[in-house]
């Protein structure tokens, strides 16, 4: 009979055991690998009662839902818990040499992952009605607390230590490739990060494909296990049992994923799990059983060994188990090892934990955005070397009874390619559009490295990039893709007239120290932008990063037809390994300005008392204002130049009593665009001197100074403003100025900062509470600055001017 210890050895578990990895509680197992459960790896047996006091389980810690009975009776006439006990035995049998009623060699019995920290006995079948009818096993396994639905009452707390590995050994046959069952199982894996194994079914003798593989086993994210029969110790004569269901799924997806020991041979009912115990004279537990029910826990136990080693990613665990699987038979008459690729009976091969241990460090996890690719290097040593890619179909929602909220995302189409790294010859590819497992085999024995490419040949639904795991027979090393990245060096000038040329210079560099960037090219493009001149001699290839020729500097000439702001994008790309590698783009912006500035002007209007007329003007333009032409008109006559070509934006014009004045201004921008004139209102200077004998006012509403607008009745005499500077401090690129005037003064001040004879900046401030504060820009290199402050005056105070030299430290 095929004892558990023999099966564990044939499946290669000894490789993990001898290295101190027992599935969680081994001396070298990584308990700290699970941040939410530092106690170790926990495995759940789903939908099955377990005889927990079976002597060969001595020392195993079982957890069960609150209210579920411990040690349900087995061996009775009606079915008891033989099936669940056998399933658990594949995983955690620990032997018991002191058992008086066990067979003599029972002390050597070992399940595949007999060091699992805790085994979750998830069955609610014998629980009280308020438990078994109101709650589900799965939320409990996940650690989710449930509240009963009407008419039931109560609460079922989730397990304290949620499971990392779930083993199920049930299912029904279906002609539907996808539905509630498959989406629910996929939700378990994609939402919680667990590994879930399922049996392919025992209907293989009735045909293949539709209606002959279990509904849960064809879920995308589970590991679907078929069964082989053990004829003798070793693997050379392993065969697929006649009753193991064959794939593919109803829609043609590659299921099962893997096969494991499920029976003694192809036809008879020899034991696969030898219970080796005869309690109370009942012999039901001495009978073993067969079926894919026992292949599923074998694969789950293998995943537990990998989890104990410290591999927390479920995609990585699945990729290792499938990639390391022992190749089966190409046809039933061929020898073991002749299998090529996936087969409906063997899946990707037979569970081989010794090879899984050998590949335990050969995996990588990453994510790839739609239309992008990731690269890896592997040095093949034999034509049977393989690389396996695994990802998930994402489903989100909730697990508790009564909750129907669920979102199923479209499966990303990831493909796997293998190239000769030197010649770029394609050596193999796996490009299914409906599967979430791809595998390629090495095509040569030259020993030259292979380059593996993982490509997202679709968009990615639900997340920005698709997470995946990839495992190889040999070590896989991530390779930086040769995606040339652009950096703008300069664009000259930044503002031009329509149709004028702009020169853009960029450096484009290969970021990969692993691969050159052959068939290199670079483009400049922008909406409504014409590329007039492209680089004349760009290199045909960028070398590896860190070597000569890994970057190049290129120059383009562009232009745009009309006013606006334009963006030119520089993009570098290279072509190799069937891919166009586009690097990070860089953008340069320039402005087209064919429109002259729009000037404004402000000056006194109406009747004013002071002969000094304060005039201010300005304009805004993308190219900046180069100069102003300010003209004056006297008594309605022709305009004549007052301040031609000035860079200032204010001035005080001294008029004569009894005459009227108006002003106009035009502006020229930095590109030479000249505006038309804009005129101010007319102001007339009147005599505000009081008549002899006193302080009578004019009664007619005279504006006293250059800043007024008329219509204000004021005293006839105006006093000096007593303009004073209280603070002028230069800091970095700013000059901070404050000052005061006589009490009651209103109006505004204008401050001008000059370096030698050039105006550096100008600022205006309103008088508030007889004081003012303002800030001017100053050139950093300038040390001696001339500061001029002009006060506009008001109806009681005369205009005033103050000049100081300021020295910057």
């Amino acid at each position: 009979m095929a004892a558990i210890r023999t099966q564990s050895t044939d499946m290669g578990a000894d490789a993990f055991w001898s290295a101190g990895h027992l599935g969680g509680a081994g001396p070298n197992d990584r308990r700290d690998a699970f941040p939410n459960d530092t106690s170790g790896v926990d495995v759940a047996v789903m939908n099955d009662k377990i005889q927990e006091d079976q002597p060969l389980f001595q020392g195993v810690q079982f957890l069960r839902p609150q209210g579920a009975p411990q040690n349900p009776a087995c061996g009775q006439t009606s079915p008891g818990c033989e099936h669940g006990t056998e399933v658990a035995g594949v995983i955690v049998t620990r032997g018991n040499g002191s058992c008086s009623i066990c067979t003599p060699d029972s002390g050597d019995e070992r399940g595949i992952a007999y060091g699992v920290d805790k085994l979750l006995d998830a069955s609610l079948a014998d629980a009280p009605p308020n438990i078994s009818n109101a709650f589900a096993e799965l939320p409990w396994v996940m650690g989710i607390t449930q509240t009963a639905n009407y008419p039931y009452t109560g609460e079922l707390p989730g397990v304290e230590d949620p499971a990392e590995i779930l083993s199920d050994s049930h299912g029904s046959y279906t002609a539907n490739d996808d539905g509630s069952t498959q989406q629910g199982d996929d939700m378990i894996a994609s939402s919680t990060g667990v590994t879930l194994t399922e049996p392919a079914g025992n209907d293989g003798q009735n045909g293949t494909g539709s209606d002959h593989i279990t509904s849960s086993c064809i879920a995308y994210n589970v590991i679907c296990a078929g069964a082989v029969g053990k004829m003798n110790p070793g693997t050379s004569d392993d065969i697929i049992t006649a009753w193991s269901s064959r794939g593919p799924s109803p829609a043609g997806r590659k299921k099962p994923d893997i096969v494991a020991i499920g029976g003694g041979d192809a036809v008879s009912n020899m034991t696969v799990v030898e219970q080796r115990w005869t309690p109370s004279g009942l012999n039901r537990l001495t009978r073993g059983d067969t079926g894919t029910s026992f292949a599923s826990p074998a694969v789950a136990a293998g995943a537990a060994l990998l989890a104990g080693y410290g591999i927390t990613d479920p995609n990585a665990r699945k990729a290792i188990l499938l990639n390391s699987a022992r190749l089966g038979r190409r046809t039933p008459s061929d020898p073991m090892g002749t299998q090529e690729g996936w087969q409906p009976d063997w899946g990707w091969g037979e569970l081989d934990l010794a090879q899984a241990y050998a590949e335990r460090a050969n995996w990588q996890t990453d994510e790839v955005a739609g239309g992008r690719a990731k690269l890896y290097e592997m040095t093949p040593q034999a034509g049977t070397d393989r690389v396996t890619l695994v990802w998930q179909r994402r489903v989100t929602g909730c697990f508790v009874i009564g909750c129907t909220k669920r979102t199923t995302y479209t499966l990303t189409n990831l493909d796997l390619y293998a190239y000769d790294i030197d010649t770029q010859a394609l050596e193999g590819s796996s490009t299914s559009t409906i599967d979430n497992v791809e595998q390629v085999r090495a095509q040569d024995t030259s020993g030259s490295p292979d380059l593996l490419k993982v490509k997202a040949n679709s968009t990615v639904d639900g997340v920005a990039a698709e997470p995946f795991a990839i495992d190889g027979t040999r070590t896989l090393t991530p390779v930086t893709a040769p995606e040339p990245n652009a950096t703008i060096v300069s664009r000259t000038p930044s503002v031009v007239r329509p149709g004028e040329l702009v020169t853009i210079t960029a450096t484009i560099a290969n970021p990969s120290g692993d691969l050159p960037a052959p068939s290199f090219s670079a483009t400049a493009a922008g909406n409504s932008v014409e590329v007039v001149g492209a680089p004349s001699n760009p290199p045909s290839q960028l070398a590896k990063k860190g070597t000569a020729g890994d970057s190049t500097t290129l120059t383009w000439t562009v232009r745009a037809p009309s006013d606006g702001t334009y963006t030119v994008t520089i993009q570098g790309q290279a072509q190799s390994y069937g891919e166009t590698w586009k690097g990070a783009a860089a953008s340069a912006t320039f402005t087209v300005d064919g429109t002259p500035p729009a000037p404004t002007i402000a000056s006194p209007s109406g009747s004013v008392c002071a002969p000094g007329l304060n005039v201010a003007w300005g304009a805004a333009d993308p190219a900046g204002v180069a100069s102003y032409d300010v003209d004056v008109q006297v008594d309605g006559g022709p305009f004549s130049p007052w301040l031609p070509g000035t860079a200032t934006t204010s001035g005080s014009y001294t008029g004569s009593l009894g005459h009227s004045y108006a002003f106009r201004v035009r502006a020229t921008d930095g590109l030479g665009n000249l505006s038309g004139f804009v005129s101010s209102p007319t102001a007339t200077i009147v005599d505000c001197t009081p008549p002899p004998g006193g302080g009578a006012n004019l009664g007619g509403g005279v504006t006293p100074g250059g800043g007024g607008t008329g219509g204000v009745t004021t005293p006839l005499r105006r006093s000096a403003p007593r303009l004073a500077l209280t603070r002028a401090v230069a800091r970095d690129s700013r000059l901070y100025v404050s000052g005061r005037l006589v009490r009651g003064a209103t109006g505004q001040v204008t401050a001008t900062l000059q370096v030698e004879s050039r105006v550096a900046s100008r600022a205006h401030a309103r008088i508030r509470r007889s004081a003012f504060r303002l800030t001017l820009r100053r050139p950093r290199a300038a040390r001696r600055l001339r500061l001029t402050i002009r006060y506009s005056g008001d109806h009681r105070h005369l205009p005033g001017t103050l000049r100081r030299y300021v020295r910057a430290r």
Side-chain angles (χ1 to χ4, degrees), residues 40 84 105 131-132 186 253 272 335 344 347 389 459 484 495 498 587 662 735 780 808:
D105 60 347
I131 295 294
S132 59
D186 284 343
R253 291 189 289 111
V272 62
L389 171 68
T459 57
V495 184
S587 297
L735 180 66
R780 286 179 176 271

Side-chain angles (χ1 to χ4, degrees), residues 172-257:
S172 58
Y173 304 111
T174 180
N176 297 320
D177 195 78
D178 197 12
S180 179
T181 296
Q182 295 80 22
Q183 293 169 12
D185 286 342
D186 284 343
M187 183 172 65
I188 295 171
S190 63
S191 298
T192 65
V194 304
T195 295
L196 172 60
T197 64
E198 295 284 352
N202 302 325
D203 199 40
Q205 68 270 23
N206 292 325
T208 61
S210 180
D211 280 322
H212 299 286
I213 194 166
T214 61
S215 58
S216 57
C217 207
I218 60 176
Y220 290 83
N221 301 340
V222 308
I223 304 180
C224 178
V228 296
K230 292 299 299 178
M231 302 299 292
N232 295 291
T235 61
S236 61
D237 59 351
D238 290 356
I239 58 174
I240 297 295
T241 63
W243 37 261
S244 180
S245 292
R246 274 72 161 170
S249 76
R253 291 189 289 111
K254 295 180 177 67
K255 292 290 182 171
D257 296 293

Side-chain angles (χ1 to χ4, degrees), residues 193 223 276 346 600 634:
I223 304 180
R276 315 176 71 80
W346 288 90
T600 61
V634 181

Side-chain angles (χ1 to χ4, degrees), residues 600-604 614-618 663 665 680-681 706:
T600 61
I601 190 169
S603 68
N614 294 322
V615 186
W617 56 89
F663 301 89
V665 65
S680 73

Side-chain angles (χ1 to χ4, degrees), residues 437-457:
V437 174
E438 307 281 8
Q439 188 179 96
V440 296
R441 297 175 63 173
Q443 299 296 307
D444 62 59
T445 57
S446 65
S448 61
D450 276 356
L451 188 82
L452 287 307
K453 181 177 75 175
V454 177
K455 176 69 179 290
N457 279 316

Side-chain angles (χ1 to χ4, degrees), residues 607 609 688 695-705 708-718 794-796:
S607 298
C609 296
C688 295
N697 62 47
L698 296 179
V702 179
T703 302
T709 57
V712 179
T713 302
T714 66
L716 299 179
R717 292 187 181 274
R718 295 193 296 169
D794 61 17
H795 65 291
R796 294 184 180 181

